[in-house]
Amino acid sequence: MANTEMQWAWPKADAHRDWSQPAGDDPHTLYDMLMQSVERFGDHPCFGWIQEKGMGRVNLSYLEFSSLVDSVARGFVSKGLIGGERIALITDNCIEWAASAYAANRLGAAYTGMYTHQHGSEWKFIIDDSSPTIIIVANTGVLDRLSANLSDKAEDWPSGGVILLGEEEANELPPEGVEVENWSAFISASRTAPALERPRSDHNSLASLIYTSGTTGNPKGVMLSNWNLLSNVVAVQSVFEIYVGDRNAAFLPWAHSFGSTFDLHYMLRSGVHINLISDLRRIADECQVIKPHCMLAVPRVWNKFHDRVNAQFQTSGFKRFMSGQANLYSAKRIRKSGIDCDAVPAKGFSDKLFDTLVWKKVRARFGGNLRFALSGAAALSPDIAGFIQKVGFTIYEGYGLTETSPLVSANGWMGKGKSRLHTVGQPISGVKIKIDTSVWDDPDNPDDGEIIVYGPNVMQGYWNNPEATADVMTDDGGFRTGDLGRLSDDGYLSITGRVKSQFKLENGKYVSPAPLEENLKLSPLVEQCVLDGRNRKHTYLIIHPNKEAMEPALKASGLILSGDWTEICSDAAVRSWLLDELREKAMEKPTWKGFEKPDAIILDAEEWSTDNDLLTPSLKVKLRNLMSRHEEEINSLN
């Protein structure tokens, strides 16, 4: 392609076609999709990454990446991997992760991604359950932990052994008889291995086995076929402002379905130059170099962006004035346009002036070229979405689950000007939604019910777990999401909570905590929070406060403080002050109803993380563990 500027990679798919299987030139497997992209974008940059701290970015073309994939596939064959088997990956996003996943797919095998920060016991469960033939691990530290948690019998380990990324020699070795080979030696040997057979092409074969990090019990392995994943990709190809040769900033973990389907597979389908972020603490700094056109992130990233920008606006009277004027003019312009989510260009002298003096500088934090952003994996606050639109970015929210590959619906794909705040858009092509109101009996919200999803994106089931599969699948092939929602007359979906997280107060009123918790996180004082109140007259909060914001706010309040941070968080006066502060400034109508506002608060000085077993690897709160941690305090509440 000689001129790729602002060109979509492929024609838009027909929304009314048969979506049960590939049609026409649709790819049948992930590897097939890759080869179509290689044929079209061969010499274009495919991946960019920083090999070591302080070094420049290294780039690999689509053609070079496909060559690496084939080398890895030959190496896998030499280690005994065949179609129908699996590989396991315990690495962060890297070129080796992508090459291994696509190499396995070429052979008709599936990949299972895990997080490097997961507990070793979870690795053991997933490996024992999925029985991979080969494991690829990030470094010697991961291998040490793996060796400490897996069996000391060689026959219980993958028969193809372990591939260790990097050049360091292993510290703790697996049992004798389990081969450990460094990546460079593996690749060197694979380049001279025998030629491969023709790629597998079964669109129904298992492509990915993703283990959901459930907040209770062991994770479940979600079986996603090639067409499960590809139907998601094809349904929204060439509908967003993502063009051939665009650059993205990729940091969503590929072990998560949102990250793998859209920050990897979808970008490869779209001819994008995928740039890996090497340090999640320096996303904005690396974006200065990458200058991305598109970026996918979870709400936590957008929330922090909002907080940091607004904190900068408060550092001087001049900045407060300038940002206030920029807010005023951008809000007026967007309100007049009647457009949600899409960026609306500045109009008029004053609007353009403040856009240049304020918002343009904010946009420059992400390199100055960002035209498309997508938020997923959790609810995005409409206030945050509105702020990002004022900045001048287009941002859409998508909804989905691992079991739906993941995308069910999204704003943006229907076309410019058709997105709607307080919704997650309309179901994507091929997907249908029903609302089962029989599971929910809130008289104040009679149209709410459990969301049931139908379509080619619905999983094949849970691996080795037919009972769990039967629990979530309807007789007519629908997937019970466990999410509460409602559909508008014109097909827009709104998410109102989780079936299992809803609770009823003693007065009979139902509370859906998820949107209220997301709303509270807009306060700079709140880092993490949970709202509960089941079997009580009133709700209560458990909060891990933002120390950097809390300490100066407490000092300004005139409270006399003593002790360390843990003692401050235990101080009754501090808790009372924060509760009053949040009730007055954060819990506003119509988001909060009177009966939803808490009458008590518990402050937790320690950040909730995977290390203290209060978060899942995908950063969801383990509610049972948190409640157990604060059981005595909860029981003491009036």
Side-chain angles (χ1 to χ4, degrees), residues 289-316:
V289 177
I290 297 168
K291 301 187 184 304
H293 302 91
C294 47
M295 191 169 81
L296 281 60
V298 295
R300 186 181 177 95
V301 172
W302 303 118
N303 291 352
K304 287 187 176 294
F305 169 62
H306 166 271
D307 293 347
R308 286 171 182 168
V309 170
N310 279 299
Q312 282 292 314
F313 286 164
Q314 301 304 313
T315 55
S316 73

PDB file of all heavy atoms in Angstrom, residues 289-316:
ATOM      1  N   VAL A 289       6.941  10.234  23.446  1.00  0.00           N
ATOM      2  CA  VAL A 289       7.803   9.683  22.399  1.00  0.00           C
ATOM      3  C   VAL A 289       6.971   8.958  21.339  1.00  0.00           C
ATOM      4  O   VAL A 289       7.170   9.140  20.138  1.00  0.00           O
ATOM      5  CB  VAL A 289       8.845   8.716  23.008  1.00  0.00           C
ATOM      6  CG1 VAL A 289       9.704   8.088  21.909  1.00  0.00           C
ATOM      7  CG2 VAL A 289       9.716   9.448  24.023  1.00  0.00           C
ATOM      8  N   ILE A 290       6.015   8.145  21.793  1.00  0.00           N
ATOM      9  CA  ILE A 290       5.206   7.343  20.865  1.00  0.00           C
ATOM     10  C   ILE A 290       4.275   8.215  20.034  1.00  0.00           C
ATOM     11  O   ILE A 290       4.060   7.972  18.852  1.00  0.00           O
ATOM     12  CB  ILE A 290       4.380   6.302  21.653  1.00  0.00           C
ATOM     13  CG1 ILE A 290       5.300   5.319  22.380  1.00  0.00           C
ATOM     14  CG2 ILE A 290       3.425   5.551  20.727  1.00  0.00           C
ATOM     15  CD1 ILE A 290       4.582   4.455  23.403  1.00  0.00           C
ATOM     16  N   LYS A 291       3.692   9.237  20.668  1.00  0.00           N
ATOM     17  CA  LYS A 291       2.680  10.102  20.040  1.00  0.00           C
ATOM     18  C   LYS A 291       1.543   9.256  19.456  1.00  0.00           C
ATOM     19  O   LYS A 291       1.277   9.259  18.247  1.00  0.00           O
ATOM     20  CB  LYS A 291       3.301  10.995  18.962  1.00  0.00           C
ATOM     21  CG  LYS A 291       4.399  11.904  19.490  1.00  0.00           C
ATOM     22  CD  LYS A 291       4.868  12.894  18.449  1.00  0.00           C
ATOM     23  CE  LYS A 291       6.042  13.723  18.961  1.00  0.00           C
ATOM     24  NZ  LYS A 291       5.759  14.436  20.212  1.00  0.00           N
ATOM     25  N   PRO A 292       0.840   8.513  20.322  1.00  0.00           N
ATOM     26  CA  PRO A 292      -0.182   7.580  19.835  1.00  0.00           C
ATOM     27  C   PRO A 292      -1.395   8.282  19.238  1.00  0.00           C
ATOM     28  O   PRO A 292      -1.754   9.394  19.636  1.00  0.00           O
ATOM     29  CB  PRO A 292      -0.569   6.805  21.097  1.00  0.00           C
ATOM     30  CG  PRO A 292      -0.308   7.767  22.215  1.00  0.00           C
ATOM     31  CD  PRO A 292       0.921   8.522  21.796  1.00  0.00           C
ATOM     32  N   HIS A 293      -2.027   7.589  18.291  1.00  0.00           N
ATOM     33  CA  HIS A 293      -3.297   8.051  17.724  1.00  0.00           C
ATOM     34  C   HIS A 293      -4.476   7.404  18.441  1.00  0.00           C
ATOM     35  O   HIS A 293      -5.591   7.929  18.392  1.00  0.00           O
ATOM     36  CB  HIS A 293      -3.371   7.694  16.235  1.00  0.00           C
ATOM     37  CG  HIS A 293      -2.258   8.269  15.417  1.00  0.00           C
ATOM     38  ND1 HIS A 293      -1.074   7.596  15.186  1.00  0.00           N
ATOM     39  CD2 HIS A 293      -2.142   9.466  14.790  1.00  0.00           C
ATOM     40  CE1 HIS A 293      -0.285   8.348  14.439  1.00  0.00           C
ATOM     41  NE2 HIS A 293      -0.900   9.482  14.184  1.00  0.00           N
ATOM     42  N   CYS A 294      -4.239   6.253  19.060  1.00  0.00           N
ATOM     43  CA  CYS A 294      -5.318   5.533  19.734  1.00  0.00           C
ATOM     44  C   CYS A 294      -4.790   4.909  21.019  1.00  0.00           C
ATOM     45  O   CYS A 294      -3.612   4.554  21.117  1.00  0.00           O
ATOM     46  CB  CYS A 294      -5.916   4.458  18.822  1.00  0.00           C
ATOM     47  SG  CYS A 294      -4.709   3.410  17.972  1.00  0.00           S
ATOM     48  N   MET A 295      -5.683   4.799  21.995  1.00  0.00           N
ATOM     49  CA  MET A 295      -5.270   4.243  23.282  1.00  0.00           C
ATOM     50  C   MET A 295      -6.472   3.621  23.975  1.00  0.00           C
ATOM     51  O   MET A 295      -7.558   4.200  24.006  1.00  0.00           O
ATOM     52  CB  MET A 295      -4.661   5.325  24.175  1.00  0.00           C
ATOM     53  CG  MET A 295      -3.968   4.769  25.407  1.00  0.00           C
ATOM     54  SD  MET A 295      -2.996   6.024  26.278  1.00  0.00           S
ATOM     55  CE  MET A 295      -4.292   6.838  27.194  1.00  0.00           C
ATOM     56  N   LEU A 296      -6.267   2.442  24.522  1.00  0.00           N
ATOM     57  CA  LEU A 296      -7.284   1.746  25.299  1.00  0.00           C
ATOM     58  C   LEU A 296      -6.841   1.713  26.751  1.00  0.00           C
ATOM     59  O   LEU A 296      -5.657   1.507  27.043  1.00  0.00           O
ATOM     60  CB  LEU A 296      -7.470   0.315  24.792  1.00  0.00           C
ATOM     61  CG  LEU A 296      -8.315   0.093  23.535  1.00  0.00           C
ATOM     62  CD1 LEU A 296      -7.749   0.824  22.331  1.00  0.00           C
ATOM     63  CD2 LEU A 296      -8.428  -1.402  23.231  1.00  0.00           C
ATOM     64  N   ALA A 297      -7.782   1.923  27.658  1.00  0.00           N
ATOM     65  CA  ALA A 297      -7.425   1.930  29.076  1.00  0.00           C
ATOM     66  C   ALA A 297      -8.645   1.590  29.916  1.00  0.00           C
ATOM     67  O   ALA A 297      -9.785   1.634  29.444  1.00  0.00           O
ATOM     68  CB  ALA A 297      -6.861   3.291  29.488  1.00  0.00           C
ATOM     69  N   VAL A 298      -8.392   1.268  31.170  1.00  0.00           N
ATOM     70  CA  VAL A 298      -9.465   1.017  32.130  1.00  0.00           C
ATOM     71  C   VAL A 298      -9.795   2.333  32.835  1.00  0.00           C
ATOM     72  O   VAL A 298      -8.999   3.278  32.819  1.00  0.00           O
ATOM     73  CB  VAL A 298      -9.041  -0.057  33.150  1.00  0.00           C
ATOM     74  CG1 VAL A 298      -8.845  -1.395  32.457  1.00  0.00           C
ATOM     75  CG2 VAL A 298      -7.769   0.349  33.887  1.00  0.00           C
ATOM     76  N   PRO A 299     -10.974   2.434  33.467  1.00  0.00           N
ATOM     77  CA  PRO A 299     -11.370   3.697  34.105  1.00  0.00           C
ATOM     78  C   PRO A 299     -10.360   4.239  35.106  1.00  0.00           C
ATOM     79  O   PRO A 299     -10.226   5.461  35.255  1.00  0.00           O
ATOM     80  CB  PRO A 299     -12.690   3.325  34.793  1.00  0.00           C
ATOM     81  CG  PRO A 299     -13.262   2.253  33.932  1.00  0.00           C
ATOM     82  CD  PRO A 299     -12.073   1.444  33.481  1.00  0.00           C
ATOM     83  N   ARG A 300      -9.642   3.364  35.790  1.00  0.00           N
ATOM     84  CA  ARG A 300      -8.661   3.822  36.784  1.00  0.00           C
ATOM     85  C   ARG A 300      -7.636   4.766  36.151  1.00  0.00           C
ATOM     86  O   ARG A 300      -7.218   5.757  36.763  1.00  0.00           O
ATOM     87  CB  ARG A 300      -7.963   2.604  37.397  1.00  0.00           C
ATOM     88  CG  ARG A 300      -7.014   2.925  38.551  1.00  0.00           C
ATOM     89  CD  ARG A 300      -6.382   1.634  39.048  1.00  0.00           C
ATOM     90  NE  ARG A 300      -5.406   1.862  40.099  1.00  0.00           N
ATOM     91  CZ  ARG A 300      -5.669   1.787  41.389  1.00  0.00           C
ATOM     92  NH1 ARG A 300      -6.897   1.521  41.779  1.00  0.00           N
ATOM     93  NH2 ARG A 300      -4.731   1.978  42.289  1.00  0.00           N
ATOM     94  N   VAL A 301      -7.223   4.471  34.910  1.00  0.00           N
ATOM     95  CA  VAL A 301      -6.254   5.328  34.215  1.00  0.00           C
ATOM     96  C   VAL A 301      -6.869   6.684  33.900  1.00  0.00           C
ATOM     97  O   VAL A 301      -6.253   7.736  34.116  1.00  0.00           O
ATOM     98  CB  VAL A 301      -5.770   4.645  32.921  1.00  0.00           C
ATOM     99  CG1 VAL A 301      -4.909   5.592  32.088  1.00  0.00           C
ATOM    100  CG2 VAL A 301      -4.990   3.374  33.253  1.00  0.00           C
ATOM    101  N   TRP A 302      -8.115   6.670  33.394  1.00  0.00           N
ATOM    102  CA  TRP A 302      -8.775   7.940  33.063  1.00  0.00           C
ATOM    103  C   TRP A 302      -9.065   8.751  34.327  1.00  0.00           C
ATOM    104  O   TRP A 302      -8.968   9.988  34.312  1.00  0.00           O
ATOM    105  CB  TRP A 302     -10.071   7.670  32.297  1.00  0.00           C
ATOM    106  CG  TRP A 302      -9.878   6.860  31.049  1.00  0.00           C
ATOM    107  CD1 TRP A 302     -10.407   5.636  30.770  1.00  0.00           C
ATOM    108  CD2 TRP A 302      -9.076   7.208  29.907  1.00  0.00           C
ATOM    109  NE1 TRP A 302      -9.993   5.198  29.535  1.00  0.00           N
ATOM    110  CE2 TRP A 302      -9.177   6.144  28.981  1.00  0.00           C
ATOM    111  CE3 TRP A 302      -8.289   8.312  29.576  1.00  0.00           C
ATOM    112  CZ2 TRP A 302      -8.524   6.153  27.750  1.00  0.00           C
ATOM    113  CZ3 TRP A 302      -7.633   8.322  28.350  1.00  0.00           C
ATOM    114  CH2 TRP A 302      -7.754   7.256  27.455  1.00  0.00           C
ATOM    115  N   ASN A 303      -9.413   8.069  35.426  1.00  0.00           N
ATOM    116  CA  ASN A 303      -9.658   8.775  36.688  1.00  0.00           C
ATOM    117  C   ASN A 303      -8.399   9.498  37.164  1.00  0.00           C
ATOM    118  O   ASN A 303      -8.455  10.653  37.614  1.00  0.00           O
ATOM    119  CB  ASN A 303     -10.114   7.793  37.771  1.00  0.00           C
ATOM    120  CG  ASN A 303     -11.505   7.236  37.518  1.00  0.00           C
ATOM    121  OD1 ASN A 303     -12.202   7.679  36.615  1.00  0.00           O
ATOM    122  ND2 ASN A 303     -11.901   6.255  38.306  1.00  0.00           N
ATOM    123  N   LYS A 304      -7.262   8.806  37.083  1.00  0.00           N
ATOM    124  CA  LYS A 304      -6.009   9.420  37.534  1.00  0.00           C
ATOM    125  C   LYS A 304      -5.614  10.582  36.625  1.00  0.00           C
ATOM    126  O   LYS A 304      -5.085  11.599  37.092  1.00  0.00           O
ATOM    127  CB  LYS A 304      -4.903   8.364  37.593  1.00  0.00           C
ATOM    128  CG  LYS A 304      -5.052   7.397  38.764  1.00  0.00           C
ATOM    129  CD  LYS A 304      -3.854   6.485  38.895  1.00  0.00           C
ATOM    130  CE  LYS A 304      -3.988   5.599  40.131  1.00  0.00           C
ATOM    131  NZ  LYS A 304      -3.931   6.382  41.379  1.00  0.00           N
ATOM    132  N   PHE A 305      -5.855  10.436  35.338  1.00  0.00           N
ATOM    133  CA  PHE A 305      -5.603  11.528  34.394  1.00  0.00           C
ATOM    134  C   PHE A 305      -6.431  12.750  34.785  1.00  0.00           C
ATOM    135  O   PHE A 305      -5.921  13.876  34.871  1.00  0.00           O
ATOM    136  CB  PHE A 305      -5.950  11.049  32.982  1.00  0.00           C
ATOM    137  CG  PHE A 305      -5.998  12.136  31.940  1.00  0.00           C
ATOM    138  CD1 PHE A 305      -4.872  12.885  31.644  1.00  0.00           C
ATOM    139  CD2 PHE A 305      -7.171  12.398  31.248  1.00  0.00           C
ATOM    140  CE1 PHE A 305      -4.914  13.889  30.679  1.00  0.00           C
ATOM    141  CE2 PHE A 305      -7.225  13.386  30.282  1.00  0.00           C
ATOM    142  CZ  PHE A 305      -6.094  14.136  30.003  1.00  0.00           C
ATOM    143  N   HIS A 306      -7.707  12.539  35.060  1.00  0.00           N
ATOM    144  CA  HIS A 306      -8.609  13.613  35.484  1.00  0.00           C
ATOM    145  C   HIS A 306      -8.099  14.281  36.764  1.00  0.00           C
ATOM    146  O   HIS A 306      -8.034  15.515  36.868  1.00  0.00           O
ATOM    147  CB  HIS A 306     -10.006  13.019  35.691  1.00  0.00           C
ATOM    148  CG  HIS A 306     -10.966  13.894  36.436  1.00  0.00           C
ATOM    149  ND1 HIS A 306     -11.070  13.871  37.813  1.00  0.00           N
ATOM    150  CD2 HIS A 306     -11.873  14.815  36.007  1.00  0.00           C
ATOM    151  CE1 HIS A 306     -11.993  14.734  38.196  1.00  0.00           C
ATOM    152  NE2 HIS A 306     -12.494  15.317  37.127  1.00  0.00           N
ATOM    153  N   ASP A 307      -7.717  13.464  37.751  1.00  0.00           N
ATOM    154  CA  ASP A 307      -7.277  14.005  39.042  1.00  0.00           C
ATOM    155  C   ASP A 307      -5.997  14.823  38.904  1.00  0.00           C
ATOM    156  O   ASP A 307      -5.861  15.901  39.502  1.00  0.00           O
ATOM    157  CB  ASP A 307      -7.055  12.869  40.041  1.00  0.00           C
ATOM    158  CG  ASP A 307      -8.352  12.170  40.428  1.00  0.00           C
ATOM    159  OD1 ASP A 307      -9.430  12.720  40.128  1.00  0.00           O
ATOM    160  OD2 ASP A 307      -8.279  11.074  41.016  1.00  0.00           O
ATOM    161  N   ARG A 308      -5.048  14.313  38.123  1.00  0.00           N
ATOM    162  CA  ARG A 308      -3.763  15.012  37.995  1.00  0.00           C
ATOM    163  C   ARG A 308      -3.908  16.321  37.237  1.00  0.00           C
ATOM    164  O   ARG A 308      -3.285  17.324  37.599  1.00  0.00           O
ATOM    165  CB  ARG A 308      -2.750  14.093  37.309  1.00  0.00           C
ATOM    166  CG  ARG A 308      -2.258  12.979  38.226  1.00  0.00           C
ATOM    167  CD  ARG A 308      -1.432  11.944  37.503  1.00  0.00           C
ATOM    168  NE  ARG A 308      -1.030  10.879  38.413  1.00  0.00           N
ATOM    169  CZ  ARG A 308      -0.501   9.729  38.027  1.00  0.00           C
ATOM    170  NH1 ARG A 308      -0.303   9.493  36.744  1.00  0.00           N
ATOM    171  NH2 ARG A 308      -0.165   8.804  38.918  1.00  0.00           N
ATOM    172  N   VAL A 309      -4.719  16.316  36.195  1.00  0.00           N
ATOM    173  CA  VAL A 309      -4.928  17.552  35.440  1.00  0.00           C
ATOM    174  C   VAL A 309      -5.595  18.597  36.323  1.00  0.00           C
ATOM    175  O   VAL A 309      -5.169  19.758  36.376  1.00  0.00           O
ATOM    176  CB  VAL A 309      -5.772  17.278  34.174  1.00  0.00           C
ATOM    177  CG1 VAL A 309      -6.202  18.590  33.522  1.00  0.00           C
ATOM    178  CG2 VAL A 309      -4.986  16.434  33.183  1.00  0.00           C
ATOM    179  N   ASN A 310      -6.632  18.187  37.044  1.00  0.00           N
ATOM    180  CA  ASN A 310      -7.339  19.144  37.896  1.00  0.00           C
ATOM    181  C   ASN A 310      -6.485  19.612  39.065  1.00  0.00           C
ATOM    182  O   ASN A 310      -6.609  20.765  39.505  1.00  0.00           O
ATOM    183  CB  ASN A 310      -8.650  18.535  38.394  1.00  0.00           C
ATOM    184  CG  ASN A 310      -9.746  18.626  37.351  1.00  0.00           C
ATOM    185  OD1 ASN A 310     -10.126  19.711  36.932  1.00  0.00           O
ATOM    186  ND2 ASN A 310     -10.249  17.484  36.911  1.00  0.00           N
ATOM    187  N   ALA A 311      -5.614  18.742  39.560  1.00  0.00           N
ATOM    188  CA  ALA A 311      -4.696  19.166  40.621  1.00  0.00           C
ATOM    189  C   ALA A 311      -3.744  20.239  40.101  1.00  0.00           C
ATOM    190  O   ALA A 311      -3.440  21.216  40.808  1.00  0.00           O
ATOM    191  CB  ALA A 311      -3.910  17.963  41.142  1.00  0.00           C
ATOM    192  N   GLN A 312      -3.287  20.087  38.866  1.00  0.00           N
ATOM    193  CA  GLN A 312      -2.422  21.104  38.257  1.00  0.00           C
ATOM    194  C   GLN A 312      -3.162  22.426  38.087  1.00  0.00           C
ATOM    195  O   GLN A 312      -2.590  23.501  38.272  1.00  0.00           O
ATOM    196  CB  GLN A 312      -1.921  20.611  36.898  1.00  0.00           C
ATOM    197  CG  GLN A 312      -0.791  19.606  36.972  1.00  0.00           C
ATOM    198  CD  GLN A 312       0.490  20.236  37.489  1.00  0.00           C
ATOM    199  OE1 GLN A 312       0.889  21.313  37.064  1.00  0.00           O
ATOM    200  NE2 GLN A 312       1.123  19.559  38.440  1.00  0.00           N
ATOM    201  N   PHE A 313      -4.436  22.350  37.754  1.00  0.00           N
ATOM    202  CA  PHE A 313      -5.238  23.560  37.569  1.00  0.00           C
ATOM    203  C   PHE A 313      -5.365  24.361  38.866  1.00  0.00           C
ATOM    204  O   PHE A 313      -5.624  25.569  38.831  1.00  0.00           O
ATOM    205  CB  PHE A 313      -6.642  23.202  37.072  1.00  0.00           C
ATOM    206  CG  PHE A 313      -6.709  22.784  35.629  1.00  0.00           C
ATOM    207  CD1 PHE A 313      -7.826  22.121  35.138  1.00  0.00           C
ATOM    208  CD2 PHE A 313      -5.671  23.055  34.749  1.00  0.00           C
ATOM    209  CE1 PHE A 313      -7.907  21.740  33.808  1.00  0.00           C
ATOM    210  CE2 PHE A 313      -5.733  22.668  33.418  1.00  0.00           C
ATOM    211  CZ  PHE A 313      -6.857  22.011  32.948  1.00  0.00           C
ATOM    212  N   GLN A 314      -5.193  23.699  40.010  1.00  0.00           N
ATOM    213  CA  GLN A 314      -5.395  24.365  41.302  1.00  0.00           C
ATOM    214  C   GLN A 314      -4.114  24.930  41.906  1.00  0.00           C
ATOM    215  O   GLN A 314      -4.137  25.446  43.023  1.00  0.00           O
ATOM    216  CB  GLN A 314      -6.024  23.373  42.291  1.00  0.00           C
ATOM    217  CG  GLN A 314      -7.367  22.810  41.853  1.00  0.00           C
ATOM    218  CD  GLN A 314      -8.389  23.886  41.553  1.00  0.00           C
ATOM    219  OE1 GLN A 314      -8.561  24.825  42.335  1.00  0.00           O
ATOM    220  NE2 GLN A 314      -9.068  23.766  40.416  1.00  0.00           N
ATOM    221  N   THR A 315      -3.005  24.860  41.170  1.00  0.00           N
ATOM    222  CA  THR A 315      -1.722  25.260  41.759  1.00  0.00           C
ATOM    223  C   THR A 315      -1.493  26.769  41.780  1.00  0.00           C
ATOM    224  O   THR A 315      -0.551  27.240  42.418  1.00  0.00           O
ATOM    225  CB  THR A 315      -0.552  24.583  41.013  1.00  0.00           C
ATOM    226  OG1 THR A 315      -0.654  24.878  39.611  1.00  0.00           O
ATOM    227  CG2 THR A 315      -0.581  23.074  41.231  1.00  0.00           C
ATOM    228  N   SER A 316      -2.321  27.533  41.085  1.00  0.00           N
ATOM    229  CA  SER A 316      -2.192  28.995  41.137  1.00  0.00           C
ATOM    230  C   SER A 316      -3.513  29.639  40.749  1.00  0.00           C
ATOM    231  O   SER A 316      -4.354  29.016  40.082  1.00  0.00           O
ATOM    232  CB  SER A 316      -1.085  29.480  40.188  1.00  0.00           C
ATOM    233  OG  SER A 316      -1.495  29.376  38.832  1.00  0.00           O
TER     234      SER A 316
END
